[in-house]
Amino acid sequence: MLILGIETSCDETAAAVVRDGQFVLSNVIASQINVHMEYGGVVPEIASRKHIENIGRAVDAALREADTRKHQIDAIAVTNGPGLVGALLVGLSYAKAFSFALNKPLIGVNHIEGHICANLLGNSPISPPFICLVVSGGHTHLLCVLDNWKMEVLGRTRDDAAGEAYDKTARALGLPYPGGPSIELLAKEGNPCAIMFPRALSDDRGFSFSGLKSAVLNYLNKQRMAGAAFSKADVAASFQKAVVDVLTDKALSACLALNINTLALAGGVSSNSALRESMRLACEKNNIALFAPPPVFCTDNAAMIASCGYFRWKQGKISSLDLNANPDIGDFNGM
Ligand code: KG4
Ligand code: ZN
């Protein structure tokens, strides 16, 4: 079963060919980072226009790299939400046209479920039950994926997503967009224990990152107003440590409380090496198997969408050609 995946929910125009939901034959990502960098964040209108420019080439490249012809594709899986509506519509319209012209099934995929499915790619795919921490630019969710692939949301952020906290903190430090990789790089030169930023560790499984962002801003303002010297690298490292501590603590607590010994990471922030190392150590200590997709499958890509589409197809969940973009779909269907 060959699925063409298409992903255009934010600032990456991505296309991939995946066999049987697991084996990646191609994974093409046309990044717009350089364009949006100038503005310090994603400009939705520009993102849509760039997707229109890139989508045809990205799909052609994905087919070429997979050594696959259009008519050999069995189905098209496409992200239909959540995301930027104008950006989503480009991928969705392209996928519908492809589906109609070649008479192949169309499968709408929830972007967050797609991120989770990055753990199904490769030779040793994850199997439920497991706890999954989804940490991206727009979402921070702690989920329990049950035996029947039903997904139960254990907690979510009340304010900023983890990636958003990275992006906003990076901007305050004058670092380029996207903030995650910039902070990760600078943090390597800093002392993570230099500044004790707050950790929002409430008893429930929800998250909150806006207090941490404010604490960083307050610290920077205070230092600047007092004319005191400070190390940006120490701020980056201390901020990152606060995020990583909270994410590790909450994910591990959920595994232990629910007696589930498999933990999966997903979403752009899970490409962060400090987070991966902290999770690795905590899981090792508690005898929990950790799944963390290779970094290229953590950030937005179409292979994860094709993988998710495969499981939807197996369940007969085919979409009709009137499928619309839904920027706010936050609910998870389970697979
Ligand atoms: O999953 P993703 O590519 O797109 C969304 O669905 O949002 O995640 C993008 C987010 C951005 O906020 C970016 O700063 C963050 O993931 N990110 C990282 C790293 N790479 C990307 N955060 C921390 N460390 C990284 N290495
Ligand atoms: Zn994403």
Side-chain angles (χ1 to χ4, degrees):
M1 177 77 182
L2 286 181
I3 296 205
L4 170 68
I6 294 180
E7 153 63 40
T8 62
S9 67
C10 191
D11 61 347
E12 320 278 16
T13 317
V17 178
V18 175
R19 181 158 45 84
D20 298 337
Q22 195 179 347
F23 303 105
V24 183
L25 305 191
S26 64
N27 184 42
V28 173
I29 303 172
S31 176
Q32 306 177 4
I33 284 177
N34 289 341
V35 184
H36 299 288
M37 207 174 239
E38 215 181 301
Y39 303 93
V42 178
V43 183
E45 179 61 26
I46 297 177
S48 311
R49 285 164 191 257
K50 284 281 156 198
H51 284 313
I52 293 172
E53 281 173 28
N54 292 339
I55 185 80
R57 275 193 301 248
V59 170
D60 287 349
L63 291 168
R64 204 171 42 244
E65 277 178 33
D67 204 10
T68 303
R69 293 177 185 276
K70 284 191 178 97
H71 69 266
Q72 292 175 301
I73 292 291
D74 295 300
I76 300 104
V78 61
T79 307
N80 72 308
L84 303 169
V85 69
L88 287 165
L89 279 169
V90 178
L92 186 57
S93 306
Y94 191 96
K96 283 184 188 180
F98 197 106
S99 157
F100 182 70
L102 290 144
N103 197 21
K104 306 283 182 180
L106 175 77
I107 308 157
V109 169
N110 177 308
H111 182 77
I112 314 292
E113 287 180 7
H115 272 302
I116 299 167
C117 287
N119 286 284
L120 293 165
L121 298 169
N123 283 325
S124 32
I126 199 166
S127 55
F130 61 90
I131 299 291
C132 187
L133 176 73
V134 187
V135 271
S136 72
H139 301 269
T140 297
H141 280 91
L142 192 59
L143 300 153
C144 180
V145 181
L146 304 165
D147 282 324
N148 53 5
W149 278 98
K150 283 272 165 273
M151 297 182 194
E152 194 182 312
V153 179
L154 303 174
R156 62 181 83 211
T157 182
R158 291 188 196 90
D159 38 59
D160 293 348
E164 200 178 348
Y166 265 96
D167 293 335
K168 288 176 174 172
T169 301
R171 200 176 309 167
L173 286 170
L175 301 174
Y177 173 85
S182 309
I183 289 196
E184 173 171 2
L185 195 67
L186 186 60
K188 290 192 200 301
E189 295 161 26
N191 173 6
C193 302
I195 310 149
M196 188 60 194
F197 288 129
R199 279 116 174 101
L201 280 170
S202 51
D203 285 342
D204 65 22
R205 298 194 177 109
F207 300 90
S208 168
F209 292 106
S210 74
L212 170 60
K213 173 194 66 191
S214 303
V216 174
L217 289 175
N218 287 343
Y219 174 84
L220 295 176
N221 285 340
K222 229 163 89 186
Q223 300 303 109
R224 282 169 183 151
M225 277 165 66
F230 64 91
S231 153
K232 277 192 188 183
D234 284 352
V235 176
S238 302
F239 159 82
Q240 178 162 275
K241 174 109 175 71
V243 175
V244 167
D245 282 356
V246 170
L247 293 177
T248 308
D249 185 280
K250 296 254 175 177
L252 263 289
S253 304
C255 290
L256 298 176
L258 299 176
N259 203 15
I260 291 181
N261 61 6
T262 306
L263 171 66
L265 306 182
V269 180
S270 64
S271 66
N272 184 279
S273 57
L275 177 64
R276 294 165 82 94
E277 182 59 9
S278 165
M279 290 287 187
R280 191 187 65 77
L281 291 174
C283 286
E284 211 170 79
K285 214 164 101 189
N286 291 283
N287 249 328
I288 291 169
L290 176 67
F291 282 72
V296 68
F297 296 130
C298 291
T299 44
D300 287 349
N301 66 88
M304 67 185 197
I305 302 302
S307 175
C308 192
Y310 174 72
F311 288 94
R312 290 257 165 273
W313 172 82
K314 278 218 300 198
Q315 294 170 322
K317 290 187 177 159
I318 305 300
S319 308
S320 57
L321 285 176
D322 63 0
L323 178 70
N324 207 351
N326 185 349
D328 299 320
I329 19 171
D331 56 329
F332 301 93
N333 300 317
M335 294 202 293

